[in-house]
C-alpha cells in the first residue's frame, strides 16, 4: 500500500533529532514534577483539614452503628506517625491533583509522533481517564468506606461482667492506608473501559473476544478484589461487582468502536474506488 503525500508530510513533521526529543522530554518532566511539587505543598499545608475530610465517612458509619459521631477518635502511637501520615496524604493528594497536568504533558510529548486521526482518537481517553477515576473515588468516599467502617464497628464488644469491653480506636496511619487503598483500587478498576477501548482501537482486542472471556473475567474480578481490598467480604464484593459491570461497559464500548471502524473502512474503500474511476478516463485519453 502506497503512502499518500499527506501522510508523508505528517511523518516528516513528526521526525526530529534525538537531542530535540531529549530536550522536549526534559521540559515535560520539569512541568510534571513542578506541578506535583506545587500540589504536594498545597495538600501538605491543608493536610489536617484533608484528613478531617477523609474522616467524614467514618462519622457516617458511627452514626449508622447507633453511636455518637461527635466522639469519633483516632490515635497515633509513635511521635512521628501523624507527621508522616500527613506527608503520605499530601503525596497522594498531590498526585491526584497533578494527574491532569501530568497526563497532558505525556500527551504533548507523544502527540507529534501520531497522525492527526490518532491524536483525535487519543484525546477522549485523556479526558475519560480522570473522570472515571473520580467516579471510583466518589463511590469509595460516599458508600464503600462508610460500609466498611460500619462492618468493623459492628465487631465492637460492650463491657459486662462476663466479657471485657473491646472498642475500635483506629490509628491515623492505618485509617489513611485503608481509604487510600480503596480509592486507588476503585480508581484503577474504573480505568477498565479506557484500557479495553484503547486495545480495541489498535486491534489487540475485540468485542467478541471480550464476550467469550466473560466467565473468566468474573472469576478474575473477585480474585483481584480479594488482593486489592482489605480482608473483609463487604469491600471485596463491593469492588468485584462494579468491575463486572465495567467489563460489560467495555464490551459495549468495543462494539461501538468496531462499528465506527467498519464505517470508516467502507467510506475509505468507496473513496478509493471513486478515485480509481476518476483516474481511468485520464489514462485512456493519454493512450
Amino acid at each position: 500500500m502506497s503512502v499518500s503525500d499527506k501522510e508523508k508530510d505528517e511523518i516528516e513533521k513528526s521526525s526530529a533529532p534525538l537531542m530535540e526529543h531529549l530536550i522536549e522530554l526534559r521540559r515535560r518532566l520539569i512541568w510534571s514534577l513542578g506541578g506535583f511539587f506545587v500540589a504536594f505543598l498545597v495538600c501538605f499545608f491543608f493536610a489536617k483539614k484533608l484528613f478531617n475530610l477523609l474522616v467524614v465517612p467514618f462519622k457516617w458509619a458511627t452514626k449508622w452503628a447507633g453511636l455518637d459521631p461527635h466522639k469519633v477518635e483516632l490515635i497515633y502511637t509513635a511521635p512521628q506517625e501523624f507527621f508522616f501520615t500527613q506527608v503520605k496524604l499530601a503525596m497522594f493528594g498531590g498526585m491526584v491533583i497533578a494527574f491532569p497536568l501530568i497526563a497532558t504533558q505525556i500527551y504533548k510529548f507523544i502527540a507529534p509522533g501520531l497522525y492527526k486521526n490518532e491524536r483525535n482518537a487519543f484525546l477522549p481517553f485523556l479526558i475519560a481517564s480522570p473522570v472515571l477515576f473520580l467516579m471510583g473515588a466518589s463511590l469509595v468516599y460516599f458508600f464503600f468506606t462508610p460500609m466498611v467502617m460500619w462492618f468493623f464497628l459492628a465487631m465492637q464488644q460492650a463491657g459486662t461482667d462476663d466479657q471485657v469491653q473491646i472498642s475500635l480506636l483506629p490509628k491515623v496511619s492505618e485509617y489513611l492506608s485503608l481509604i487510600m487503598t480503596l480509592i486507588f483500587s476503585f480508581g484503577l478498576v474504573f480505568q477498565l473501559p479506557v484500557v479495553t477501548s484503547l486495545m480495541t482501537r489498535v486491534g489487540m482486542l475485540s468485542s467478541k473476544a471480550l464476550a467469550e472471556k466473560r466467565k473468566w473475567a468474573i472469576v478474575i474480578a473477585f480474585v483481584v478484589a480479594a488482593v486489592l481490598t482489605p480482608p473483609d467480604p463487604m469491600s471485596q464484593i463491593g469492588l468485584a461487582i462494579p468491575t463486572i459491570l465495567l467489563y460489560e461497559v467495555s464490551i459495549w464500548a468495543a462494539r461501538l468502536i468496531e462499528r465506527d471502524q467498519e464505517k470508516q473502512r467502507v467510506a475509505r474503500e468507496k473513496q478509493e474506488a471513486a478515485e480509481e474511476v476518476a483516474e481511468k478516463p485520464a489514462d485512456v485519453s493519454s493512450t
Side-chain angles (χ1 to χ4, degrees):
M1 181 183 294
S2 61
V3 181
S4 64
D5 294 337
K6 187 176 180 180
E7 290 177 342
K8 288 181 180 179
D9 293 337
E10 289 189 10
I11 293 174
E12 290 177 359
K13 289 179 181 179
S14 64
S15 61
L18 177 61
M19 186 59 64
E20 291 185 13
H21 284 300
L22 294 176
I23 294 173
E24 180 70 13
L25 178 61
R26 183 186 65 178
R27 180 163 58 249
R28 299 305 173 192
L29 287 174
I30 291 173
W31 274 102
S32 300
L33 293 175
F36 168 74
F37 184 69
V38 171
F40 168 81
L41 291 178
V42 173
C43 290
F44 185 76
F45 183 78
F46 295 103
K48 289 185 178 179
K49 292 184 178 180
L50 289 174
F51 191 84
N52 288 327
L53 186 64
L54 292 177
V55 175
V56 171
F58 188 16
K59 292 182 178 180
W60 293 340
T62 304
K63 190 175 181 180
W64 293 354
L67 304 174
D68 187 1
H70 300 290
K71 294 183 178 180
V72 171
E73 183 180 0
L74 286 84
I75 63 172
Y76 60 97
T77 57
Q80 74 279 8
E81 181 179 346
F82 190 42
F83 171 76
F84 284 112
T85 299
Q86 294 181 68
V87 173
K88 190 176 180 180
L89 176 59
M91 292 181 65
F92 184 75
M95 182 59 68
V96 172
I97 294 174
F99 177 78
L101 174 64
I102 296 172
T104 302
Q105 296 304 312
I106 294 174
Y107 172 75
K108 287 183 177 180
F109 178 72
I110 65 174
L114 302 175
Y115 292 125
K116 185 177 179 181
N117 60 335
E118 293 175 337
R119 292 195 294 268
N120 294 335
F122 192 79
L123 274 174
F125 300 107
L126 191 64
I127 299 172
S129 183
V131 171
L132 289 172
F133 184 88
L134 290 176
M135 289 175 61
S138 300
L139 190 63
V140 169
Y141 185 85
F142 291 104
F143 183 71
F144 284 105
T145 299
M147 290 292 294
V148 170
M149 295 309 298
W150 172 80
F151 176 80
F152 291 146
L153 284 169
M155 296 181 178
Q156 293 186 126
Q157 180 176 285
T160 62
D161 295 335
D162 299 329
Q163 59 187 20
V164 297
Q165 180 172 346
I166 302 176
S167 301
L168 175 63
L169 291 175
K171 294 173 63 177
V172 291
S173 58
E174 292 176 351
Y175 179 78
L176 180 64
S177 296
L178 171 64
I179 195 167
M180 283 176 53
T181 300
L182 288 173
I183 290 175
F184 178 77
S185 301
F186 277 76
L188 186 65
V189 167
F190 269 63
Q191 303 303 311
L192 183 61
V194 175
V195 175
T196 54
S197 297
L198 284 172
M199 294 179 71
T200 302
R201 278 194 176 276
V202 299
M204 297 177 63
L205 274 180
S206 65
S207 60
K208 183 179 179 181
L210 289 171
E212 290 176 350
K213 305 298 182 183
R214 183 182 282 109
K215 294 180 180 179
W216 287 102
I218 294 173
V219 175
I220 293 173
F222 279 96
V223 173
V224 171
V227 173
L228 294 179
T229 59
D232 67 280
M234 193 78 66
S235 56
Q236 292 176 7
I237 296 174
L239 180 59
I241 292 176
T243 304
I244 296 170
L245 294 177
L246 287 169
Y247 189 83
E248 296 298 327
V249 172
S250 301
I251 296 175
W252 174 76
R255 287 171 179 167
L256 290 180
I257 292 172
E258 288 172 348
R259 290 174 188 173
D260 183 61
Q261 289 178 339
E262 181 65 21
K263 289 180 181 179
Q264 292 180 2
R265 186 187 65 81
V266 172
R268 187 167 56 250
E269 290 179 353
K270 288 182 178 180
Q271 183 178 359
E272 292 176 355
E275 290 176 354
E276 290 179 359
V277 171
E279 289 175 358
K280 283 183 178 178
D283 295 339
V284 173
S285 60
S286 62
T287 55

